[in-house]
């Protein structure tokens, strides 16, 4: 599985004395390969989340293409793109993303249930909750969880369909050192098992788990050379 960005940009318009637009992401080429864990670091506002959302099929580029195994994902209609994301791309977004009306277990199972006629995914969902350390909260609701527990719920949910691509935006935000290590080891294992994994993070600890490292600065993505960290 290969996810590629070819000359992608994201341009926003605004009122300004100098010019009426700015680039959140400048023209960028990028390749994410199966079996690899790639990390992007950078300050808040540097364009990391915007770039990840374009790779995830959540935000159309202003120009350029995003290719999944050679297919331009933004050439698909909304229905086909949604199905592709559900089946092949697991996204860990920033923020609190649990659905309050569903239990933790139901939240994790949701990607499977949406595109399946069966509701027999309890065993796998419980296994994922065990791996991220919140198995005892399966029957709780998101509003009863801490910020770190909701982050781990989101990670388990992203892995539910065994996607070939994992795109994780600050996956260890709100986590203590012990749970940060658990999550990073799980994402490393997911890459070792063949998935293409991208982590966008501020965490210095994540570097030791990565195969390659990039820095985003004012919309420009630069590879940090000589990095073979895992």
């Amino acid at each position: 599985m290969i996810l590629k960005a070819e000359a992608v940009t994201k341009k926003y318009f605004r009122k300004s004395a100098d010019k009426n637009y700015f680039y959140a992401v400048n023209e960028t080429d990028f390749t994410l390969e199966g079996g690899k864990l790639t990390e992007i670091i950078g300050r808040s506002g540097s364009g990391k989340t915007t770039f990840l959302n374009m790779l995830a099929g959540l935000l159309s580029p202003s120009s350029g293409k995003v290719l999944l195994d050679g297919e331009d994902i933004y050439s698909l209609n909304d229905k086909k793109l949604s199905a592709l994301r559900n089946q092949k791309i697991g996204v860990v977004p920033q923020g609190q993303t649990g659905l309050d009306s569903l239990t933790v277990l139901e939240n994790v199972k949701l990607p499977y249930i949406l595109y399946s006629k069966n509701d027999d995914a309890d065993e796998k969902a419980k296994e994922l909750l065990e791996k991220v350390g919140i198995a005892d909260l399966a029957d709780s609701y998101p509003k009863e969880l801490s910020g770190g527990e909701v982050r781990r719920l989101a990670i388990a949910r992203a892995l539910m369909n065994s996607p070939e691509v994992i795109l994780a935006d600050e996956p260890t935000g709100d986590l203590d050192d012990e749970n940060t290590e658990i999550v990073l080891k799980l994402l490393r294992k997911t890459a070792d098992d063949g998935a293409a994994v991208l982590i966008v993070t501020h965490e210095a600890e994540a570097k030791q788990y990565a195969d390659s490292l990039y820095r985003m600065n004012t919309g420009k993505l630069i590879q940090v050379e000589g990095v073979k960290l895992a």
Side-chain angles (χ1 to χ4, degrees), residues 157-224:
R157 184 178 57 204
L159 296 173
M160 183 64 204
N161 280 348
S162 301
E164 297 170 75
V165 177
I166 300 291
L167 305 173
D169 195 353
E170 300 289 357
T172 56
D174 299 323
L175 299 186
D176 59 22
D177 290 346
E178 180 181 358
N179 285 303
T180 291
E181 183 178 6
I182 288 171
V183 165
L184 292 175
K185 284 183 176 179
L186 177 58
L187 292 173
R188 177 69 253 178
K189 173 76 164 52
T190 302
D192 291 340
D193 288 342
V197 180
L198 174 64
I199 298 176
V200 167
T201 183
H202 292 97
E203 297 286 347
E205 292 86 349
K207 296 178 184 178
Q208 65 182 298
Y209 297 93
D211 295 296
S212 56
L213 178 66
Y214 291 77
R215 182 181 300 278
M216 182 75 82
N217 186 25
T218 60
K220 297 178 181 179
L221 190 65
I222 302 169
Q223 185 168 14
V224 178

Side-chain angles (χ1 to χ4, degrees), residues 96-100 102-108 129 132-157 174:
Q96 308 301 310
T97 60
L99 296 180
D100 288 337
L102 302 179
T103 67
V104 169
L105 182 64
E106 289 167 341
N107 265 282
V108 172
L129 289 174
V132 298
I134 55 171
D136 58 324
L137 299 173
D139 295 325
S140 301
Y141 288 85
K143 64 183 179 181
E144 300 171 327
L145 307 186
S146 68
E149 289 164 346
V150 173
R151 296 299 295 160
R152 285 181 278 167
L153 181 161
I155 292 162
R157 184 178 57 204
D174 299 323

Side-chain angles (χ1 to χ4, degrees), residues 73-104:
I73 66 174
Y74 288 102
S75 69
L76 304 174
N77 62 37
D78 287 345
K79 183 177 180 180
K80 289 183 178 180
L81 179 55
S82 294
L84 177 76
R85 284 198 304 263
N86 182 269
Q87 294 163 7
K88 295 189 176 183
I89 303 174
V91 180
V92 182
Q94 282 194 46
Q96 308 301 310
T97 60
L99 296 180
D100 288 337
S101 61
L102 302 179
T103 67
V104 169

